[in-house]
Amino acid sequence: MSRTIVRIGYASCGIAAGAKDVLSVVERRMKKGSRKVQLQKTGCIGICFDEPIVEVINDLGQWTYRKVDPARMERIYDEHVLGGVPVYEWTVGELSTDGKKAEKPVFEHQRRIALRNTGVIDPESIEAYLERQGYKALEKVIREMNPDSVIKEIMDSGLRGRGGAGFPTGLKWSFCKKAAGDKKYLICNADEGDPGAFMDRNLLEGDPHSVLEGMIIAAHTIGASEGYIYCRAEYPLAIRRLKIAIEQAREKGYLGDSILGTDLSFDIRLKEGAGAFVCGEETALIASIEGERGMPRIRPPFPAEAGLWGKPTNNNNVETYANIPWIILMGAKEFQKFGIKSSRGTKVFSLAGKINRGGLVEVPMGTTLRRIIFEIGGGIPGDRKFKAVQLGGPSGGCIPTHLLDTPVDYESIMAHGAIMGSGGMVVMDENTCMVEIARYFLSFTQNESCGKCTFCRVGTLRMLEILERITRGDGRESDIDELKDLAELIRTSSLCGLGQGAPNPVLTTLKYFENEYHAHIVEKKCPAGACRELTTFIIDEEACRACGLCRKACPSDAIEGKPGVKHVIVQDRCIKCGSCREVCPFDAVGTG
Amino acid sequence: MTVEISINNRKYRVPKDITVLEACHKAGFEIPTLCRDKHHEKPFTSCFICLVEIQGAPRFAPACGTKVREGLVIKVESEKIFNARKTGLELLLSDHNADCKPPCHWKCPAHADVQGYVNAIANSDFRTSIEILRKRIPLPGTLGRVCPHPCETDCRRNYVDRPVSIRNLKRFVADWDLENGPFLPEVKPETGKKIAIVGGGPAGISCAYYLRQEGHEITIYEQMPALGGMLRYGIPEYRLPKAQLQKEIDAIISMGIKVKTGHRLGREFSLDELEKEYDAVFLSIGAWKSKGLMLEGEDHPSVIGGIDFLREVALGKPSRLGERVVVVGGGNTAIDAARTALRMSSRSTILYRRTKAEMPAEAYEIEEAAEEGVEFIFLAAPVAMVVENGVLKGMKCLRMELGEADESGRRRPQPIEGSEFLLEADAVIKAIGQDIEKGIISEEKVDQTKWGTVKVQMPIYKTNRSKVFAGGDLVKGPSLVVDAVYMGRKASEAITCMLNDEAFPNIMDIVSTRRSVDESLFVDVEKVERVEPEYLPARVRKTNFSEVDLGFTEDDAVNEAKRCMSCGCQDVYECKLKLYMNDYQADPRRFQGATHDHKVDDSHPYILREPNKCVKCGKCVEICDRYRGISVYGFAGRGFDATVAPTLNKPLADSDCISCGDCVSVCPVGALTEKIPLEKPGPFPAKVTPSVCTRCSVGCMINIETVNDRFYRITPRSNLWNGVHMCETGRFDLGWTNDPGRFHTPLVKGEDGFREASWEEAVSPMAAKIRETPMIILRPTCTNEEAYIAREMARKLKGEIYLIVDDHETCDGLYPVLGNSGSTITFEDIEKQDQIMIYNTDLVNRFSVVGVKVRDAALKGRSVTVVGDKPHRIKGAKVLKNTGCGFLEGLIATAAREQLISGHAYDLISHSEQEILNRLSMLSREAIEELSGSGYEELAKIARTLSTENGVIIFGMSTKEEARRIALFKQITNVQLIVLKRGSNSQGISDLDIPRITLSELDALSRKNIFMLGYPPEDFRRPETCRFLAMQATVEPPPYADMVLPRSVNYENEGTVVTTDRRLCKLGRSLSIRKQNWEILADLARALDIGMDITDLREVTDRLLPELKFNRDDRNL
């Protein structure tokens, strides 16, 4: 029998779920074993909800195991790695009819371009990247193309900025290429900061070379000699793997002077951001690289004319760069096959919140929200109803049930008041209070405001205070108008996207769920039962089977009852955490 | 290059590259902005108050950061824009946790500027105090005695110890005014409008006072024999002496007010008649009718109304009271009546139906009455008078107890059944309140309320009759004097508006106030005991009507005023936020929520930082970083908690601050203010005198602000060359000028040292000495006029005259080569030079404003080379460490080698300079490198750019040889020079052909009578051969002089100076208390009798002007 590969998902998602212990099992067993087993660490393959993930690959095929713990690993090692028989019960997905082969329905509707290598290769090995046509696109650009033809190819592909705003990438490059200047800079924005978003993180952890290659192609195209990757310091693994990748690329001559023997000189520095959300805004990011406080400045002039140190600067997001080598190699036409007219290609989303299969997905543009959430993401846990999905992070907005068939493309999402953003998707169920959600996102932006613009610095706090009093039950009839007034002014009187987008969660929840606001303000009730001050939990006598789960779950001993005796909540002691409702298998806990 | 844009649907052609804000200002549209001014190169766009609409844009655009472009369509005024700006201001104000004005100001019913007049007293500036006081309080001596001072109730000093004694301070300054003045406001030119005032009480007098100032003709009609109303006839002598009141009224009447006493409305005249004769009428006839008790026997002649009783006493017609008097009531009138009665009979009792705690009278008055022996019966009320055989025996009374609280919040008294008792009395005074005499008013067809008060339209105090206004007790019912004074003023304003056919500006002054105030704010404030005036002892005062309260002495007043904590904002007259919130009617309380409460940073000697007032505009951050290269301030924190603070939030004093004050200049609010070199800051409305700073030769253009002949502060004239920039010395080193130790009169040396002498005593003996072998020595602080007069004097006397400078070496080096020591361009031209070389000169700690100009030029792309290791803080400057003659000679040699010397330059230089040039021309590259210590290529580059492009060398205080080499380089290459000198006018004095002398040269000269003008050099000693030495000084007289004359500083002088960049500038005389230096010289010339009679300084200036060589005449800026 030839070599067997054991591949362990070793991105942040895997490590967090316990991949390290699984890894040590394999390492220990390998020392003892005499068989030819190769261990590979790889990035996130997207099914984060099932981490730790282990894949076993041999001549017979590839098998993916979910939720592997050290004990499971021992058995997989014994039976599959050594014995050659897969442990079917732990493989991903449903068993096929013959009962022998596992499928991964998660990937059925996905198409992986940006994530083509993530979860497949060892991100710390440039050889692994090279094996999968790595740096071939760069060679093609240098040997067969000129900057204009590169720009034309990118323009033809229809690639738009994946950081959120959706500006055509080819056009952006052409501006910077045309800008006069003896020195030009290139920036890769890896300051991903939206709550619930981890696309860039997993991409950098899983396939750093794709990003580097995209950057080098861009540098060659616009004539930049220096590049910066601005990555938040909270991503230590991504930073470590980027450093390794940069060093490897330098050794191989893809970075530095005379790249591939030409007169192209380009090098990349890594700048660690200190965790200010606003530094994802490009002018603030530039100020931060320059050593100033990360505060946005007015545009124009745009960075393409006067950016870093006042020089022409091109700035793209991680995912945008990762798409570039694929487009160059496969051609604009191939890319155009995915997506719809105004939005071509694929988009990576991170699925989070009240969803069965949270994780990283990459789908063709134009896929409907319903398909992403229900078919790929597996819908909502329990029997609860879907309520809304938040797109675009704290600057985005929520989209309600009746718009679930909206295709994900820049324009369609914008039309409903949300934004594509960088790809965060937070799913909410019927137990989520939309006023509370708006309050949560606004408190995030308020805390992250750089404090420069009056409306953003003070205005968002005043909105937040209104939302706080509504969720407390102290709302006033005039509050909704006040919120709308302030939201409009903050949106129209702030310098950067953080301020301009800050009111969006409030505006979209008001648009689709104004009745929830009214319930809080007028009836002093939280329909979702999430706002503590407004909620009373009650056990339905009919439905209660006296199973005692709620009594055990209650952290404040507020539930009285015995086996066989219907349970009752003692309201004086109840702290309204909702644990009883979460655990009740009979849906007997309701709110009043 | 211009572009066409449209603003509010009108087309304008404007230069390209300007901002929308600048374009709008050019087109005459006012756009508010807090974070932007013209002194900033880059817009920061933080406040978003300047927002405008741009056609096609999805959002508002900040006008300050948006550049114009062809076809731009801008809207700057609309309801939407107005509301957006207003909301922006309201958001800023929602966290502006600070007071514009102090609580005493608001609590005063007349809204007097209490902080202003109290602070002026603390500064011993009584004149300013009375001027501020009179703006709102026309009868300060009266109110200073009788006002129950609500202002003191809200005084923040209550959180520390006890309130400032505001009332007594008012009285003190009013009494001072009557003794030393009175200082009355100006009366505007006569308008020809006539106004009648009916009733000469406080409301009427107040109305007359303010209307007269407007230039109207005023006649007061008064029914009583004298003016004053209740003040005269309702307040007893021991509280308000009639003589004092009369003086105060006389002062007001002396402004040209007509008075008709003995004229009663409805008797001598009617409103119809007044309306025919006058343009307006103000009714203020008061409330003079005592309320009745509604009891049996009340009509007995021994039952008297309280106010009637007091009036009769005032008129000198005292009622016969008998042994025991009972006063019914608990208000001020009851106390006044009881205390007056006590002075006229043996027992005086107050009967009040509630307890002492509920008495409406002021606590201190109750206390004083009790001290004098007035008896009190509480919780009892009369039910009937007991009259036997026509004689009053007393009153039948019932005991009371307190029940539920009524609408006024006081507990309602309820009779206790069966508690009846007899209170014996020979006379009863009913002092339970006053009413208006309804009949008089109703007969005149003026609408009244059911209580008889006159109905007026607020806030203009106009009655139903078109020309008739009303105020005082007649409108409000019995109330405070200060209320009456306020109503008189408001009505006067309304009347003037009506007469001028203007709308009444019905806009309240909107202000910011602190969100919460409690003891914790004042834990660091030192407790200081409140000063109490002396009072007549009770046993003495109850026997007569002498004034009880003896008032403050001057020391008392000043000490008590120093207790004021000056709670109001120093910036209240300048704050842009306050201005805009009033323009936009922004409501500071629209948004209620979290606010910050930062500590005031009082650490810095000159700058007060109040972070609660900061609007985070970032101007201080930018100006310090950009123009000073320091970065004292920075942003910290995020979100709502973002602040602007010194590095690591340390006290400002612990930062790298160089005390230039630029941040204070640009702060749009009161977050950064200068500390005022007075005991208390006011703020006071200051007199502004434009001038030039003469603390060094740079000559920053300044405004000197003074308050009643005291220095208040100095600010830069920001539209002139130095912009908002100054240096620590010029801006803040001021306190000494207010030093009371400065002497005014000459000092003559006698056997026991110096003694003060009159000018006559000093000038004649001095003239006698100076007449023989005189030597006049000038110091560079002298003006051109002083120097000219002194020179003419010396010439006529055939004496000598010299100038002693502190940096003569530089001059000694420059003169032989250039023939002068002057700069060839002005500071304003620096930024036009492509190449700027700073030669071994510190532009950070010295001449720092020149440093600012160079830094600015560098940021605008000019190339700067710094030679030497002096600090510079210029970003991107090229630094060459080597200095000295070798370096400079290397530069000259390089210029020669590179053939940069113009052909005829050789002919222009002297033989000795030709020799130097010849020697240097022979040097090889290697020799040049060795000589200069610098690389040849580098030198060649500098030499080339300095001589072939626009280049300037900036230097000062060099050695003689260095100066000589720079001069030579200048002669052969035409580089420009800026020579920085220490003495403010050494340039002008040199131009007047006055030779320089060094101290050692002076010592070598013999047997002279010396007069030195200006302060002596630090190491000056009296020359051994000197027979007579007259000098000048401000505070410390030099012990070795024979005579010392007080020197007026240049803030106190008229005259001209020539700055080191050769601008001719005019001094502004901001203080007029001291004799000017040129006047002293003129006196001396007269005493010398040498045919010099100088009376007009302008003539002197005209005569000397042709001799001056200046680049520019800035006298009329």
Side-chain angles (χ1 to χ4, degrees), chain A residues 253-516:
Chain A
Y254 298 118
L255 277 177
D257 291 337
S258 312
I259 292 171
L260 295 177
T262 64
D263 56 0
L264 173 63
S265 288
F266 178 70
D267 208 349
I268 293 175
R269 293 181 204 199
L270 196 62
K271 170 85 185 175
E272 291 180 39
F277 180 66
V278 73
C279 286
E281 199 282 339
E282 62 179 352
T283 58
L285 187 152
I286 286 169
S288 178
I289 294 178
E290 288 172 353
E292 304 282 326
R293 176 181 164 93
M295 281 176 136
R297 60 162 174 74
I298 192 165
R299 292 172 299 185
F302 289 94
E305 298 159 39
L308 189 58
W309 318 111
K311 306 289 182 195
T313 303
N314 181 72
N315 172 30
N316 287 121
N317 148 280
V318 169
E319 189 184 334
T320 313
Y321 283 127
N323 272 300
I324 301 293
W326 194 94
I327 294 171
I328 296 293
L329 280 179
M330 309 302 283
K333 281 220 174 79
E334 192 61 28
F335 193 75
Q336 279 209 7
K337 285 184 185 159
F338 302 101
I340 57 161
K341 197 167 180 239
S342 63
S343 306
R344 293 293 180 190
T346 58
K347 176 77 194 87
V348 182
F349 290 97
S350 57
L351 273 177
K354 303 286 177 65
I355 188 149
N356 275 320
R357 303 189 202 128
L360 213 55
V361 303
E362 183 172 357
V363 291
M365 290 273 190
T367 307
T368 64
L369 286 168
R370 188 185 298 281
R371 170 162 282 176
I372 297 172
I373 293 165
F374 286 94
E375 295 182 31
I376 301 173
I380 315 295
D383 289 333
R384 292 185 234 294
K385 284 199 200 93
F386 170 86
K387 191 176 210 174
V389 57
Q390 173 82 12
L391 290 184
S395 308
C398 67
I399 291 187
T401 318
H402 73 273
L403 296 172
L404 264 177
D405 290 316
T406 305
V408 286
D409 66 79
Y410 294 99
E411 278 69 26
S412 304
I413 289 175
M414 199 103 79
H416 295 313
I419 59 168
M420 174 85 87
S422 55
M425 261 191 205
V426 182
V427 180
M428 295 156 224
D429 69 12
E430 58 185 327
N431 287 349
T432 313
C433 169
M434 297 313 284
V435 186
E436 164 58 25
I437 279 292
R439 189 208 62 77
Y440 166 74
F441 279 112
L442 198 65
S443 79
F444 181 87
T445 29
Q446 156 57 216
N447 280 329
E448 291 294 339
S449 164
C450 76
K452 183 172 183 173
C453 306
T454 302
F455 287 92
C456 176
R457 180 183 71 247
V458 193
T460 53
L461 180 82
R462 299 303 171 222
M463 280 183 77
L464 181 62
E465 286 170 339
I466 294 172
L467 291 173
E468 279 169 353
R469 72 170 175 247
I470 292 175
T471 55
R472 262 201 325 268
D474 297 331
R476 304 165 198 159
E477 299 264 1
S478 59
D479 279 348
I480 290 179
D481 284 341
E482 186 84 305
L483 281 174
K484 285 178 181 167
D485 279 358
L486 277 173
E488 178 60 14
L489 283 169
I490 295 165
R491 193 181 69 74
T492 53
S493 310
S494 299
L495 212 50
C496 80
L498 187 148
Q500 290 162 7
N504 279 354
V506 182
L507 287 174
T508 52
T509 48
L510 270 173
K511 185 174 173 185
Y512 300 119
F513 300 96
E514 193 167 334
N515 55 338
E516 283 199 31

Side-chain angles (χ1 to χ4, degrees), chain B residues 192-416:
Chain B
K193 306 278 186 191
K194 293 166 69 181
I195 297 144
I197 287 170
V198 184
I205 291 173
S206 166
C207 191
Y209 172 79
Y210 292 105
L211 283 172
R212 182 61 197 137
Q213 288 178 49
E214 295 299 317
H216 307 311
E217 187 191 312
I218 314 296
T219 309
I220 302 177
Y221 290 81
E222 169 59 52
Q223 61 160 332
M224 300 296 282
L227 291 183
M230 279 295 175
L231 302 176
R232 181 181 296 274
Y233 298 107
I235 297 177
E237 174 79 12
Y238 63 85
R239 281 220 286 146
L240 175 61
K242 304 284 177 280
Q244 199 70 26
L245 174 68
Q246 191 59 45
K247 274 198 231 167
E248 195 154 64
I249 293 172
D250 285 348
I252 291 174
I253 299 308
S254 75
M255 291 164 68
I257 293 166
K258 295 179 185 166
V259 179
K260 292 189 176 176
T261 49
H263 278 63
R264 182 181 164 93
L265 178 64
R267 190 174 70 193
E268 274 76 19
F269 62 94
S270 70
L271 268 187
D272 287 342
E273 289 163 18
L274 292 185
E275 271 195 325
K276 274 191 205 115
E277 201 182 329
Y278 293 92
D279 297 296
V281 179
F282 179 65
L283 275 182
S284 52
I285 61 170
W288 286 76
K289 202 165 152 256
S290 288
K291 267 196 205 309
L293 290 166
M294 312 295 175
L295 298 177
E296 191 188 327
E298 197 182 340
D299 51 356
H300 190 277
S302 291
V303 181
I304 319 159
I307 200 69
D308 306 308
F309 168 67
L310 291 170
R311 182 175 58 229
E312 280 170 20
V313 175
L315 283 164
K317 298 186 285 185
S319 316
R320 283 226 298 262
L321 297 173
E323 283 294 294
R324 181 168 186 182
V325 182
V326 174
V327 179
V328 183
N332 286 329
T333 306
I335 300 281
D336 284 348
R339 292 175 74 183
T340 301
L342 186 73
R343 284 158 171 76
M344 298 166 64
S345 60
S346 49
R347 273 183 87 181
S348 174
T349 306
I350 284 178
L351 179 73
Y352 182 53
R353 55 193 186 139
R354 293 179 165 103
T355 72
K356 187 172 167 182
E358 286 84 24
M359 279 179 81
E362 300 306 315
Y364 70 94
E365 290 197 52
I366 301 169
E367 203 56 45
E368 284 179 15
E371 276 171 25
E372 288 168 9
V374 171
E375 296 161 20
F376 291 87
I377 299 173
F378 294 113
L379 289 169
V383 286
M385 299 296 151
V386 180
V387 180
E388 282 176 21
N389 304 325
V391 179
L392 183 73
K393 288 286 167 196
M395 284 184 293
K396 200 157 47 157
C397 300
L398 269 179
R399 299 274 174 212
M400 313 292 270
E401 61 187 357
L402 292 181
E404 294 293 299
D406 63 10
E407 324 65 272
S408 74
R410 296 181 304 172
R411 292 170 69 192
R412 198 190 301 272
Q414 287 162 341
I416 303 172

Side-chain angles (χ1 to χ4, degrees), chain B residues 620-652:
Chain B
C620 55
V621 180
E622 150 119 43
I623 200 146
C624 189
D625 175 56
R626 181 176 178 87
Y627 294 106
R628 300 289 177 172
I630 304 178
S631 308
V632 165
Y633 301 104
F635 276 86
R638 275 189 232 159
F640 182 62
D641 292 331
T643 55
V644 173
T647 316
L648 300 175
N649 220 347
K650 286 198 281 197
L652 189 54

Side-chain angles (χ1 to χ4, degrees), chain B residues 135-171:
Chain B
K135 286 194 177 133
R136 293 289 162 96
I137 308 284
L139 297 165
T142 301
L143 282 160
R145 287 174 167 82
V146 305
C147 189
H149 50 72
C151 50
E152 293 185 24
T153 329
D154 272 17
C155 176
R156 296 248 170 93
R157 194 88 213 178
N158 280 308
Y159 293 105
V160 180
D161 38 37
R162 295 180 62 212
V164 174
S165 187
I166 301 170
R167 179 179 63 76
N168 255 317
L169 288 172
K170 180 162 36 227
R171 170 185 165 173

Side-chain angles (χ1 to χ4, degrees), chain B residues 50-70:
Chain B
C50 70
L51 49 82
V52 295
E53 282 181 81
I54 295 208
Q55 200 175 68
R59 281 179 277 274
F60 288 117
C64 67
T66 308
K67 289 256 159 92
V68 295
R69 58 175 188 271
E70 186 63 40

Side-chain angles (χ1 to χ4, degrees), chain B residues 840-909:
Chain B
N840 205 23
T841 304
D842 179 354
L843 297 188
V844 172
N845 302 303
R846 245 173 212 278
F847 311 117
S848 73
V849 178
V850 181
V852 169
K853 299 306 274 186
V854 177
R855 232 163 270 131
D856 189 28
L859 288 162
K860 287 176 177 158
R862 310 291 172 251
S863 161
V864 178
T865 307
V866 175
V867 180
D869 54 5
K870 302 266 165 66
H872 60 88
R873 294 184 190 272
I874 298 165
K875 280 175 198 144
K878 186 171 186 56
V879 180
L880 297 174
K881 290 282 179 205
N882 283 316
T883 60
C885 273
F887 171 81
L888 293 165
E889 289 193 343
L891 197 63
I892 295 165
T894 311
R897 226 188 136 69
E898 294 289 313
Q899 298 175 356
L900 298 168
I901 300 174
S902 54
H904 56 278
Y906 198 77
D907 304 329
L908 294 175
I909 55 179

Side-chain angles (χ1 to χ4, degrees), chain A residues 187-198:
Chain A
I187 294 174
C188 170
N189 184 349
D191 195 51
E192 183 175 61
D194 290 357
F198 46 88

